[in-house]
Amino acid sequence: MTSADGYGDSTRCVSSVGSVHSPGQPMQLGPVFAAPYQLSEDEGSESDTYARASNPGWRGLEAALGMLEGADHVVVTGSGMSAVTVTLRSLLQAGDTVVVPSDGYYQVRRYAEEALALLGIGVREVSTTGMGDASFPELLSGLPGRIVVVAETPSNPMLDVVDLRALSQVCHRVGAILVVDNTTPTPLGQRPLELGADVVVASGTKALSGHSDLLMGYIATADADIAAKVERERLLSGTVLGPFETWLAHRSLGTAGLRFGRHCDNAQALADMLSGHPAVMSVRYPGLHTDPSYVVASEQMHRFGGLVSIELESAAAFHSFVSASELVTSATSFGGIHTTADRRARWGDQVSEGFVRISCGIEDTEDLLTDIQRALGGLTSGR
């Protein structure tokens, strides 16, 4: 996939983690393990005084993520969830309102209901498709205080898509701030800031770091005032990324284009294969021409991502499928090198007992398809 700057995804990823090379110096800088730093004469600066305020590794990782997201400012955090919470605490106060996706990541809803509501912040839940509905502008205009709209597209786990260009226009007409969770597509699949979003939040735990070995989140924006607020909140709340995790993420980012490309290729092939499969009651993937999300997704996404959601007949069918597979592991999270499957009803998502989110790994496509076809061979659906 080629970007607007003329480079493909892998070239962009390698370029983003490049450093100025000089003879005798390492090609890749290592982690900086330090808590305090020797103070400078500038007593008004908090930079490089203490590791909760700054770390040299953060700057390299934030610059790389900024290149990929097309963002002037990036703030890394200790997890994807902390990227969401830092952003919302920075933008909202008592009397304001946050709109969260009713069909998005369930922990975001929990945080809004269990923490933000106690601070006097109004919480409204709207589905991803509902944010694109003709009635949504009227709903927004009737909400009190500053309004922050959190959109997750494609949604997790249903993979519904909302038109971000249209949504950003609706938000900005009423003075609302649009925050887009870009975890599922990554900046290699979608760049929300170019589509009108004010802020991007994401879990770098997933496909960007891609090896299932660290937690990391980030906040990206073109707004210097918002960036300053979230950076201040990171400092005061202590939701920071450790130096070793920073280095791991920065190192891993260089191969994200290769890995994500295989994720997407595998997901497309899998979705195509499972459409009409006798053991599968339904398939959701934005790259399927028959998917309800396809038209909008094809207009705003560069790649359709590595997640495929399917519906099996029951929870027992899911367990039989995973037990029979040699390549699919039952695990939550996604975006790693291994293909995993997660039965989402166990986490409280409003889906059927047999609803499964499959995260395609980087296995050879034909091997993965053969394995999953065989593992599903003994199942039948209730069609």
Side-chain angles (χ1 to χ4, degrees), residues 58-69:
W58 292 353
R59 291 193 285 276
L61 179 56
E62 289 169 344
L65 292 167
M67 288 180 62
L68 297 178
E69 287 283 2

Side-chain angles (χ1 to χ4, degrees), residues 103-188:
D103 53 346
Y105 183 45
Y106 72 102
Q107 297 283 32
V108 174
R109 296 195 301 277
R110 285 185 176 177
Y111 179 74
E113 295 162 357
E114 297 177 14
L116 296 182
L118 294 179
L119 300 176
I121 296 167
V123 178
R124 294 293 297 266
E125 293 187 11
V126 179
S127 68
T128 298
T129 56
M131 291 182 185
D133 190 81
S135 63
F136 189 62
E138 183 178 355
L139 182 149
L140 281 188
S141 63
L143 298 176
R146 167 180 271 187
I147 303 166
V148 174
V149 176
V150 180
E152 182 183 35
T153 180
S155 64
N156 175 18
M158 289 298 296
L159 303 181
D160 281 321
V161 169
V162 63
D163 185 332
L164 288 178
R165 291 185 183 90
L167 180 60
S168 66
Q169 292 171 3
V170 168
C171 290
H172 295 156
R173 276 201 298 270
V174 299
I177 296 174
L178 176 59
V179 177
V180 176
D181 186 335
N182 205 36
T183 301
T184 301
T186 82
L188 303 179

Side-chain angles (χ1 to χ4, degrees), residues 250-261:
H250 196 215
R251 180 208 61 174
S252 300
L253 200 57
T255 61
L258 286 171
R259 291 182 282 100
F260 188 68

Side-chain angles (χ1 to χ4, degrees), residues 268 271-272 275 283-295 304:
Q268 184 71 61
D272 289 337
S275 295
V283 180
R284 291 298 308 271
Y285 184 66
L288 282 176
H289 286 76
T290 55
D291 192 273
S293 296
Y294 175 77
V295 173
F304 297 114

Side-chain angles (χ1 to χ4, degrees), residues 39-57:
L39 296 176
S40 70
E41 295 180 359
D42 179 8
E43 296 188 3
S45 172
E46 290 184 331
S47 178
D48 291 345
T49 61
Y50 190 62
R52 180 163 47 83
S54 180
N55 182 296

